[in-house]
Protein backbone atom coordinates (compact mmCIF):
# COMPACT_ATOMS: atom_id res chain seq x y z
CA UNK A 1 0.00 0.00 0.00
CA UNK A 2 2.94 2.31 0.64
CA UNK A 3 3.99 2.17 -3.01
CA UNK A 4 0.52 2.99 -4.31
CA UNK A 5 0.25 5.84 -1.81
CA UNK A 6 3.55 7.14 -3.19
CA UNK A 7 2.17 6.95 -6.76
CA UNK A 8 -0.98 8.81 -5.74
CA UNK A 9 1.04 11.53 -3.98
CA UNK A 10 3.35 11.93 -6.99
CA UNK A 11 0.37 12.46 -9.29
CA UNK A 12 -1.19 14.96 -6.92
CA UNK A 13 2.03 16.85 -6.25
CA UNK A 14 3.70 16.92 -9.66
CA UNK A 15 0.95 16.45 -12.25
CA UNK A 16 -1.53 19.31 -12.63
CA UNK A 17 -4.84 18.92 -14.48
CA UNK A 18 -4.71 17.48 -18.04
CA UNK A 19 -5.63 20.90 -19.44
CA UNK A 20 -2.73 22.56 -17.61
CA UNK A 21 -0.43 19.80 -18.86
CA UNK A 22 -1.63 20.48 -22.42
CA UNK A 23 -0.82 24.18 -21.96
CA UNK A 24 2.65 23.39 -20.60
CA UNK A 25 3.32 20.93 -23.44
CA UNK A 26 2.28 23.63 -25.91
CA UNK A 27 4.73 26.13 -24.40
CA UNK A 28 7.55 23.57 -24.36
CA UNK A 29 6.87 22.63 -27.99
CA UNK A 30 6.85 26.28 -29.02
CA UNK A 31 10.20 26.83 -27.29
CA UNK A 32 11.78 23.72 -28.81
CA UNK A 33 10.60 24.70 -32.28
CA UNK A 34 12.06 28.19 -31.88
CA UNK A 35 15.43 26.86 -30.69
CA UNK A 36 15.97 23.73 -32.80
CA UNK A 37 14.22 24.43 -36.11
CA UNK A 38 14.48 27.04 -38.83
CA UNK A 39 11.92 28.66 -41.11
CA UNK A 40 12.57 29.66 -44.74
CA UNK A 41 14.96 32.60 -44.90
CA UNK A 42 12.30 35.06 -46.00
CA UNK A 43 10.08 34.32 -42.99
CA UNK A 44 10.27 35.63 -39.44
CA UNK A 45 10.88 32.44 -37.49
CA UNK A 46 8.89 33.49 -34.42
CA UNK A 47 5.84 34.45 -36.45
CA UNK A 48 6.18 31.30 -38.56
CA UNK A 49 6.09 29.02 -35.52
CA UNK A 50 3.08 30.87 -34.12
CA UNK A 51 1.40 30.42 -37.49
CA UNK A 52 2.09 26.65 -37.43
CA UNK A 53 0.51 26.53 -33.97
CA UNK A 54 -2.61 28.47 -34.88
CA UNK A 55 -3.12 26.53 -38.12
CA UNK A 56 -2.85 23.26 -36.19
CA UNK A 57 -5.45 24.32 -33.63
CA UNK A 58 -8.02 25.02 -36.36
CA UNK A 59 -7.15 22.10 -38.62
CA UNK A 60 -10.60 21.26 -39.99
CA UNK A 61 -9.97 17.54 -40.46
CA UNK A 62 -8.67 17.15 -36.91
CA UNK A 63 -11.60 19.09 -35.48
CA UNK A 64 -13.91 16.58 -37.18
CA UNK A 65 -11.84 13.86 -35.51
CA UNK A 66 -12.37 15.50 -32.11
CA UNK A 67 -16.14 15.61 -32.65
CA UNK A 68 -16.14 11.94 -33.67
CA UNK A 69 -14.32 11.00 -30.47
CA UNK A 70 -16.73 13.05 -28.36
CA UNK A 71 -19.69 11.24 -29.92
CA UNK A 72 -18.10 7.85 -29.26
CA UNK A 73 -17.82 8.70 -25.58
CA UNK A 74 -21.24 10.37 -25.20
CA UNK A 75 -23.20 7.73 -27.12
CA UNK A 76 -21.46 4.96 -25.20
CA UNK A 77 -22.46 6.59 -21.90
CA UNK A 78 -26.00 7.14 -23.18
CA UNK A 79 -26.33 3.45 -24.04
CA UNK A 80 -25.42 2.46 -20.48
CA UNK A 81 -28.18 4.68 -19.08
CA UNK A 82 -30.92 2.87 -21.02
CA UNK A 83 -33.38 0.54 -19.29
CA UNK A 84 -32.21 -2.64 -21.12
CA UNK A 85 -28.64 -2.00 -19.98
CA UNK A 86 -29.89 -1.39 -16.44
CA UNK A 87 -31.67 -4.75 -16.49
CA UNK A 88 -28.54 -6.46 -17.85
CA UNK A 89 -26.38 -5.01 -15.07
CA UNK A 90 -28.87 -6.01 -12.38
CA UNK A 91 -29.06 -9.52 -13.84
CA UNK A 92 -25.28 -9.91 -13.67
CA UNK A 93 -25.22 -8.89 -10.00
CA UNK A 94 -27.50 -11.81 -9.09
CA UNK A 95 -24.63 -14.22 -9.79
CA UNK A 96 -22.41 -12.65 -7.12
CA UNK A 97 -21.43 -15.17 -4.42
CA UNK A 98 -18.09 -13.89 -3.13
CA UNK A 99 -15.25 -11.53 -4.00
CA UNK A 100 -13.53 -13.96 -6.39
CA UNK A 101 -16.50 -14.69 -8.62
CA UNK A 102 -17.74 -11.08 -8.42
CA UNK A 103 -14.33 -9.80 -9.59
CA UNK A 104 -14.36 -12.17 -12.57
CA UNK A 105 -17.93 -11.21 -13.50
CA UNK A 106 -17.09 -7.49 -13.42
CA UNK A 107 -13.72 -7.53 -15.17
CA UNK A 108 -14.68 -10.07 -17.84
CA UNK A 109 -17.92 -8.34 -18.84
CA UNK A 110 -16.38 -4.85 -18.63
CA UNK A 111 -13.49 -5.81 -20.91
CA UNK A 112 -15.85 -7.34 -23.46
CA UNK A 113 -18.04 -4.23 -23.48
CA UNK A 114 -15.01 -1.92 -23.67
CA UNK A 115 -13.70 -3.80 -26.70
CA UNK A 116 -16.87 -2.68 -28.49
CA UNK A 117 -16.96 0.90 -27.18
CA UNK A 118 -14.72 2.48 -24.58
CA UNK A 119 -17.26 5.08 -23.44
CA UNK A 120 -19.83 2.34 -22.95
CA UNK A 121 -17.29 0.17 -21.11
CA UNK A 122 -16.11 2.98 -18.84
CA UNK A 123 -19.56 3.77 -17.45
CA UNK A 124 -20.83 0.17 -17.68
CA UNK A 125 -17.92 -1.03 -15.53
CA UNK A 126 -18.43 1.76 -12.99
CA UNK A 127 -22.17 1.16 -12.57
CA UNK A 128 -21.72 -2.64 -12.55
CA UNK A 129 -19.09 -2.37 -9.80
CA UNK A 130 -21.41 -0.08 -7.80
CA UNK A 131 -24.39 -2.41 -8.21
CA UNK A 132 -22.28 -5.45 -7.23
CA UNK A 133 -21.32 -3.60 -4.04
CA UNK A 134 -24.94 -2.73 -3.32
CA UNK A 135 -26.06 -6.33 -3.96
CA UNK A 136 -23.38 -7.70 -1.64
CA UNK A 137 -24.36 -5.19 1.03
CA UNK A 138 -28.07 -6.03 0.76
CA UNK A 139 -27.44 -9.78 0.87
CA UNK A 140 -24.71 -9.78 3.56
CA UNK A 141 -22.04 -11.08 1.16
CA UNK A 142 -18.45 -10.38 2.26
CA UNK A 143 -16.70 -8.47 -0.49
CA UNK A 144 -13.46 -6.64 -1.21
CA UNK A 145 -15.16 -3.64 -2.80
CA UNK A 146 -11.98 -1.79 -3.92
CA UNK A 147 -10.97 -4.86 -5.97
CA UNK A 148 -14.40 -4.84 -7.60
CA UNK A 149 -13.99 -1.14 -8.37
CA UNK A 150 -10.60 -1.82 -9.98
CA UNK A 151 -12.21 -4.55 -12.09
CA UNK A 152 -14.79 -2.03 -13.29
CA UNK A 153 -11.91 0.09 -14.59
CA UNK A 154 -10.20 -2.85 -16.32
CA UNK A 155 -11.81 -2.13 -19.68
CA UNK A 156 -9.54 0.90 -20.11
CA UNK A 157 -6.56 -1.46 -20.59
CA UNK A 158 -8.07 -3.02 -23.74
CA UNK A 159 -10.12 -0.20 -25.29
CA UNK A 160 -7.57 1.19 -27.77
CA UNK A 161 -7.13 -2.22 -29.33
CA UNK A 162 -10.91 -2.46 -29.70
CA UNK A 163 -13.50 -1.31 -32.20
CA UNK A 164 -13.64 2.26 -30.86
CA UNK A 165 -9.86 2.63 -30.51
CA UNK A 166 -8.93 6.13 -31.72
CA UNK A 167 -5.92 5.21 -33.85
CA UNK A 168 -7.15 1.97 -35.48
CA UNK A 169 -10.61 3.33 -36.29
CA UNK A 170 -9.32 6.66 -37.61
CA UNK A 171 -6.74 5.17 -39.98
CA UNK A 172 -9.54 3.11 -41.54
CA UNK A 173 -10.90 6.33 -43.04
CA UNK A 174 -9.82 6.96 -46.61
CA UNK A 175 -7.23 9.73 -46.80
CA UNK A 176 -6.62 10.16 -43.07
CA UNK A 177 -2.99 9.03 -43.22
CA UNK A 178 -2.20 11.51 -45.97
CA UNK A 179 -3.96 14.30 -44.06
CA UNK A 180 -2.08 13.48 -40.86
CA UNK A 181 1.35 13.52 -42.54
CA UNK A 182 0.58 16.01 -45.28
CA UNK A 183 2.57 18.93 -43.85
CA UNK A 184 5.30 16.95 -42.15
CA UNK A 185 7.02 14.85 -44.83
CA UNK A 186 7.97 14.98 -48.48
CA UNK A 187 5.91 13.63 -51.35
CA UNK A 188 7.98 10.42 -51.61
CA UNK A 189 6.95 9.36 -48.11
CA UNK A 190 3.33 10.34 -48.70
CA UNK A 191 3.36 8.11 -51.78
CA UNK A 192 4.27 5.12 -49.59
CA UNK A 193 1.13 5.50 -47.47
CA UNK A 194 -1.95 3.43 -48.25
CA UNK A 195 -5.23 5.29 -48.70
CA UNK A 196 -6.46 3.62 -45.52
CA UNK A 197 -5.66 0.76 -43.14
CA UNK A 198 -8.70 -1.42 -42.58
CA UNK A 199 -9.67 -2.46 -39.06
CA UNK A 200 -9.48 -5.98 -40.50
CA UNK A 201 -5.68 -5.49 -40.36
CA UNK A 202 -5.63 -3.91 -36.90
CA UNK A 203 -8.54 -4.51 -34.51
CA UNK A 204 -9.79 -7.68 -36.18
CA UNK A 205 -6.39 -9.11 -37.07
CA UNK A 206 -5.65 -12.58 -35.73
CA UNK A 207 -2.74 -11.24 -33.67
CA UNK A 208 -4.81 -8.55 -31.93
CA UNK A 209 -7.70 -10.90 -31.21
CA UNK A 210 -5.31 -13.48 -29.73
CA UNK A 211 -3.61 -10.82 -27.58
CA UNK A 212 -6.98 -9.49 -26.41
CA UNK A 213 -8.18 -13.00 -25.54
CA UNK A 214 -4.99 -13.74 -23.58
CA UNK A 215 -5.31 -10.44 -21.65
CA UNK A 216 -8.99 -11.15 -20.97
CA UNK A 217 -8.33 -14.62 -19.57
CA UNK A 218 -5.14 -13.68 -17.71
CA UNK A 219 -6.69 -10.70 -15.91
CA UNK A 220 -9.78 -12.77 -15.08
CA UNK A 221 -7.56 -15.44 -13.50
CA UNK A 222 -5.56 -12.77 -11.68
CA UNK A 223 -8.64 -11.12 -10.13
CA UNK A 224 -10.02 -14.53 -9.14
CA UNK A 225 -6.81 -15.31 -7.26
CA UNK A 226 -6.79 -11.84 -5.70
CA UNK A 227 -10.41 -12.29 -4.69
CA UNK A 228 -9.52 -15.52 -2.90
CA UNK A 229 -6.56 -14.01 -1.07
CA UNK A 230 -7.67 -10.47 -0.19
CA UNK A 231 -9.62 -9.55 2.90
CA UNK A 232 -13.24 -8.39 2.52
CA UNK A 233 -14.18 -5.05 4.01
CA UNK A 234 -17.26 -3.19 5.11
CA UNK A 235 -19.49 -1.69 2.42
CA UNK A 236 -21.67 1.35 3.07
CA UNK A 237 -23.48 2.46 -0.08
CA UNK A 238 -26.76 4.15 -0.84
CA UNK A 239 -28.69 2.88 -3.84
CA UNK A 240 -27.47 4.28 -7.15
CA UNK A 241 -30.57 5.42 -9.04
CA UNK A 242 -31.00 5.52 -12.79
CA UNK A 243 -32.93 8.65 -13.73
CA UNK A 244 -36.64 8.13 -14.35
CA UNK A 245 -38.97 10.33 -16.40
CA UNK A 246 -42.15 11.94 -15.18
CA UNK A 247 -44.96 11.84 -17.76
CA UNK A 248 -47.72 13.66 -15.89
CA UNK A 249 -50.04 16.13 -17.65
CA UNK A 250 -48.56 15.80 -21.14
CA UNK A 251 -50.21 18.15 -23.62
CA UNK A 252 -50.34 17.90 -27.41
CA UNK A 253 -46.94 17.71 -29.05
CA UNK A 254 -45.29 16.98 -25.69
CA UNK A 255 -46.54 13.42 -26.09
CA UNK A 256 -44.29 13.02 -29.11
CA UNK A 257 -41.22 13.50 -26.92
CA UNK A 258 -42.30 10.50 -24.84
CA UNK A 259 -43.60 8.34 -27.70
CA UNK A 260 -42.02 4.91 -27.88
CA UNK A 261 -43.40 4.40 -31.38
CA UNK A 262 -41.85 7.61 -32.74
CA UNK A 263 -38.41 6.94 -31.23
CA UNK A 264 -38.44 3.30 -32.31
CA UNK A 265 -39.36 4.17 -35.88
CA UNK A 266 -36.64 6.81 -36.09
CA UNK A 267 -34.06 4.46 -34.53
CA UNK A 268 -35.04 1.70 -36.96
CA UNK A 269 -34.71 4.21 -39.83
CA UNK A 270 -31.15 5.02 -38.73
CA UNK A 271 -30.20 1.35 -38.45
CA UNK A 272 -31.82 0.63 -41.81
CA UNK A 273 -29.80 3.36 -43.49
CA UNK A 274 -26.73 2.06 -41.64
CA UNK A 275 -27.19 -1.36 -43.23
CA UNK A 276 -27.75 0.10 -46.69
CA UNK A 277 -24.74 2.40 -46.48
CA UNK A 278 -22.23 0.33 -44.56
CA UNK A 279 -23.07 -3.38 -44.90
CA UNK A 280 -20.24 -4.00 -47.42
CA UNK A 281 -17.75 -2.33 -45.07
CA UNK A 282 -19.04 -4.32 -42.09
CA UNK A 283 -18.65 -7.54 -44.07
CA UNK A 284 -15.02 -6.54 -44.78
CA UNK A 285 -14.56 -5.76 -41.06
CA UNK A 286 -13.61 -2.18 -41.91
CA UNK A 287 -15.12 0.06 -39.21
CA UNK A 288 -14.85 3.87 -39.31
CA UNK A 289 -15.79 6.44 -36.64
CA UNK A 290 -18.84 7.60 -38.59
CA UNK A 291 -20.09 4.02 -38.96
CA UNK A 292 -19.72 3.30 -35.26
CA UNK A 293 -21.39 6.54 -34.17
CA UNK A 294 -24.26 6.16 -36.63
CA UNK A 295 -24.95 2.64 -35.37
CA UNK A 296 -24.77 3.66 -31.72
CA UNK A 297 -27.07 6.65 -32.32
CA UNK A 298 -29.81 4.45 -33.75
CA UNK A 299 -29.34 1.78 -31.09
CA UNK A 300 -29.36 4.31 -28.22
CA UNK A 301 -32.60 5.94 -29.41
CA UNK A 302 -34.30 2.54 -29.67
CA UNK A 303 -33.10 1.31 -26.28
CA UNK A 304 -34.18 4.48 -24.48
CA UNK A 305 -37.71 4.14 -25.77
CA UNK A 306 -38.37 7.86 -26.19
CA UNK A 307 -36.66 11.00 -27.41
CA UNK A 308 -37.03 12.53 -23.96
CA UNK A 309 -35.23 9.66 -22.22
CA UNK A 310 -32.48 9.80 -24.84
CA UNK A 311 -31.99 13.55 -24.37
CA UNK A 312 -31.95 13.29 -20.57
CA UNK A 313 -29.19 10.67 -20.90
CA UNK A 314 -27.27 12.93 -23.30
CA UNK A 315 -27.42 15.77 -20.78
CA UNK A 316 -26.00 13.48 -18.10
CA UNK A 317 -23.28 12.14 -20.40
CA UNK A 318 -22.19 15.41 -21.99
CA UNK A 319 -19.91 16.34 -19.09
CA UNK A 320 -17.63 13.43 -20.07
CA UNK A 321 -16.42 15.26 -23.16
CA UNK A 322 -15.27 18.50 -21.53
CA UNK A 323 -11.64 17.39 -21.63
CA UNK A 324 -11.80 16.36 -25.29
CA UNK A 325 -13.59 19.55 -26.31
CA UNK A 326 -11.04 21.93 -24.83
CA UNK A 327 -7.83 19.88 -24.88
CA UNK A 328 -7.88 18.38 -28.38
CA UNK A 329 -7.35 21.73 -30.15
CA UNK A 330 -4.25 22.26 -28.00
CA UNK A 331 -2.94 18.82 -29.01
CA UNK A 332 -3.67 19.68 -32.64
CA UNK A 333 -1.69 22.89 -32.19
CA UNK A 334 1.24 20.88 -30.84
CA UNK A 335 1.04 18.61 -33.86
CA UNK A 336 0.90 21.63 -36.15
CA UNK A 337 4.11 23.02 -34.65
CA UNK A 338 5.94 19.69 -34.73
CA UNK A 339 4.87 18.89 -38.26
CA UNK A 340 5.33 22.20 -40.02
CA UNK A 341 8.58 23.12 -38.23
CA UNK A 342 10.26 19.81 -39.04
CA UNK A 343 10.52 18.60 -35.43
CA UNK A 344 8.76 15.34 -36.30
CA UNK A 345 11.42 14.58 -38.90
CA UNK A 346 14.18 15.16 -36.34
CA UNK A 347 12.55 12.98 -33.69
CA UNK A 348 11.74 10.29 -36.24
CA UNK A 349 15.36 10.23 -37.42
CA UNK A 350 16.46 9.73 -33.80
CA UNK A 351 14.10 6.78 -33.26
CA UNK A 352 15.16 5.23 -36.54
CA UNK A 353 18.83 5.58 -35.56
CA UNK A 354 18.38 3.63 -32.31
CA UNK A 355 15.78 1.09 -33.49
CA UNK A 356 15.45 -1.94 -35.69
CA UNK A 357 12.44 -3.54 -37.33
CA UNK A 358 12.08 -5.71 -34.21
CA UNK A 359 12.65 -3.11 -31.51
CA UNK A 360 10.69 -0.17 -32.96
CA UNK A 361 7.27 -1.59 -31.92
CA UNK A 362 8.64 -2.11 -28.40
CA UNK A 363 10.01 1.45 -28.25
CA UNK A 364 6.64 2.66 -29.57
CA UNK A 365 4.81 0.72 -26.86
CA UNK A 366 6.89 2.22 -24.04
CA UNK A 367 6.90 5.74 -25.45
CA UNK A 368 3.11 5.62 -25.93
CA UNK A 369 2.70 4.51 -22.33
CA UNK A 370 4.84 7.43 -21.18
CA UNK A 371 3.05 9.96 -23.39
CA UNK A 372 -0.30 8.74 -22.04
CA UNK A 373 0.72 9.96 -18.58
CA UNK A 374 0.87 13.51 -19.94
CA UNK A 375 -1.72 13.24 -22.74
CA UNK A 376 -4.43 11.03 -21.19
CA UNK A 377 -6.45 10.75 -24.39
CA UNK A 378 -5.95 8.18 -27.11
CA UNK A 379 -7.24 10.55 -29.78
CA UNK A 380 -5.06 13.43 -28.63
CA UNK A 381 -2.08 11.11 -28.41
CA UNK A 382 -2.66 9.83 -31.94
CA UNK A 383 -2.72 13.42 -33.21
CA UNK A 384 0.61 14.19 -31.51
CA UNK A 385 2.47 10.88 -31.76
CA UNK A 386 0.83 9.31 -34.81
CA UNK A 387 2.93 11.10 -37.47
CA UNK A 388 6.14 10.13 -35.66
CA UNK A 389 5.10 6.48 -35.40
CA UNK A 390 4.07 6.28 -39.05
CA UNK A 391 7.22 7.93 -40.37
CA UNK A 392 9.52 5.75 -38.24
CA UNK A 393 7.68 2.61 -39.28
CA UNK A 394 8.01 3.47 -42.95
CA UNK A 395 11.74 4.11 -42.55
CA UNK A 396 12.36 0.72 -40.89
CA UNK A 397 9.84 -1.31 -42.94
CA UNK A 398 7.72 -2.08 -39.89
CA UNK A 399 4.17 -2.96 -40.99
CA UNK A 400 1.99 0.06 -40.34
CA UNK A 401 -0.81 -1.96 -38.67
CA UNK A 402 1.71 -3.36 -36.19
CA UNK A 403 3.13 0.09 -35.41
CA UNK A 404 -0.37 1.48 -34.88
CA UNK A 405 -1.32 -1.36 -32.53
CA UNK A 406 1.96 -0.92 -30.60
CA UNK A 407 0.96 2.68 -29.94
CA UNK A 408 -2.55 1.57 -29.00
CA UNK A 409 -1.29 -1.04 -26.51
CA UNK A 410 1.11 1.38 -24.87
CA UNK A 411 -1.51 4.10 -24.58
CA UNK A 412 -4.16 1.86 -23.02
CA UNK A 413 -2.00 -0.04 -20.54
CA UNK A 414 -0.88 2.99 -18.52
CA UNK A 415 -4.51 3.97 -17.96
CA UNK A 416 -4.11 1.55 -15.07
CA UNK A 417 -1.57 4.03 -13.64
CA UNK A 418 -3.02 7.34 -14.88
CA UNK A 419 -6.17 8.10 -12.81
CA UNK A 420 -7.70 10.66 -15.21
CA UNK A 421 -10.25 8.33 -16.82
CA UNK A 422 -10.95 6.67 -13.47
CA UNK A 423 -12.65 9.84 -12.21
CA UNK A 424 -16.15 8.88 -13.45
CA UNK A 425 -15.74 5.43 -11.89
CA UNK A 426 -14.53 6.86 -8.60
CA UNK A 427 -17.50 9.21 -8.50
CA UNK A 428 -20.01 6.42 -9.15
CA UNK A 429 -18.44 3.80 -6.88
CA UNK A 430 -17.52 6.27 -4.10
CA UNK A 431 -14.03 4.77 -3.96
CA UNK A 432 -10.71 6.63 -3.82
CA UNK A 433 -7.85 6.31 -6.28
CA UNK A 434 -5.55 4.88 -3.61
CA UNK A 435 -8.04 2.06 -2.99
CA UNK A 436 -8.04 0.75 -6.57
CA UNK A 437 -4.42 1.56 -7.53
CA UNK A 438 -2.86 -1.53 -5.87
CA UNK A 439 -4.95 -3.74 -8.13
CA UNK A 440 -4.81 -1.70 -11.34
CA UNK A 441 -1.01 -1.58 -11.08
CA UNK A 442 -1.00 -5.39 -11.02
CA UNK A 443 -3.27 -5.34 -14.07
CA UNK A 444 -0.76 -3.03 -15.79
CA UNK A 445 2.21 -5.28 -15.05
CA UNK A 446 0.50 -8.45 -16.29
CA UNK A 447 -0.94 -6.67 -19.32
CA UNK A 448 2.41 -5.12 -20.24
CA UNK A 449 4.10 -8.51 -20.32
CA UNK A 450 1.38 -9.90 -22.60
CA UNK A 451 1.46 -6.93 -24.98
CA UNK A 452 5.26 -6.93 -25.27
CA UNK A 453 5.34 -10.69 -25.92
CA UNK A 454 2.57 -10.24 -28.47
CA UNK A 455 4.53 -7.56 -30.33
CA UNK A 456 7.61 -9.81 -30.37
CA UNK A 457 5.78 -12.98 -31.42
CA UNK A 458 3.54 -11.52 -34.11
Amino acid sequence: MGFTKLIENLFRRYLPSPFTIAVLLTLVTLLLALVFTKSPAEENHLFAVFSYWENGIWNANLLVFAYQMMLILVLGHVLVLSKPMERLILRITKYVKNTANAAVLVVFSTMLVSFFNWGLGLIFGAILARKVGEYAQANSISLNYPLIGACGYGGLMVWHGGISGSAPIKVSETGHLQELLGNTVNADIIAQLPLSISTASTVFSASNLVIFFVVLISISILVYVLGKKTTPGKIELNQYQFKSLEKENLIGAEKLDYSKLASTLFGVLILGVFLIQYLPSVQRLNITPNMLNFFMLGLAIILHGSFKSFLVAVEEAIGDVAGILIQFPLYFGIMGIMGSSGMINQISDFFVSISTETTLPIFTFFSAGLVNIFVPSGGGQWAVQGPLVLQSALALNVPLPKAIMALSYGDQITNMLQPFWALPLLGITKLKAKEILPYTLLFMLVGSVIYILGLLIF
Side-chain angles (χ1 to χ4, degrees), residues 107-118:
V107 82
F108 190 89
S109 56
T110 299
M111 283 183 161
L112 285 178
V113 171
S114 297
F115 189 82
F116 168 70
N117 177 277
W118 71 277

Side-chain angles (χ1 to χ4, degrees), residues 61-70 72-73 118 156 159-160 164-171 176 180 289 323-325 327-335 368 371-372 375-387 407-408 411-412 415 420-421:
N61 293 316
L62 291 177
L63 290 175
V64 170
F65 173 41
Y67 189 71
Q68 289 171 328
M69 295 303 107
M70 286 190 286
I72 286 177
L73 177 55
W118 71 277
L156 267 290
W159 79 274
H160 209 153
S164 66
S166 303
I169 200 173
K170 193 60 183 176
V171 300
H176 171 70
L180 193 65
I324 295 177
L325 175 67
Q327 291 169 42
F328 266 43
L330 293 180
Y331 298 144
F332 300 157
I334 292 171
M335 196 204 78
V371 171
N372 183 51
V375 184
S377 162
Q381 182 165 344
W382 173 246
V384 174
Q385 196 175 1
L407 179 144
S408 300
D411 166 65
Q412 66 190 10
N415 283 328
F420 176 71
W421 289 112

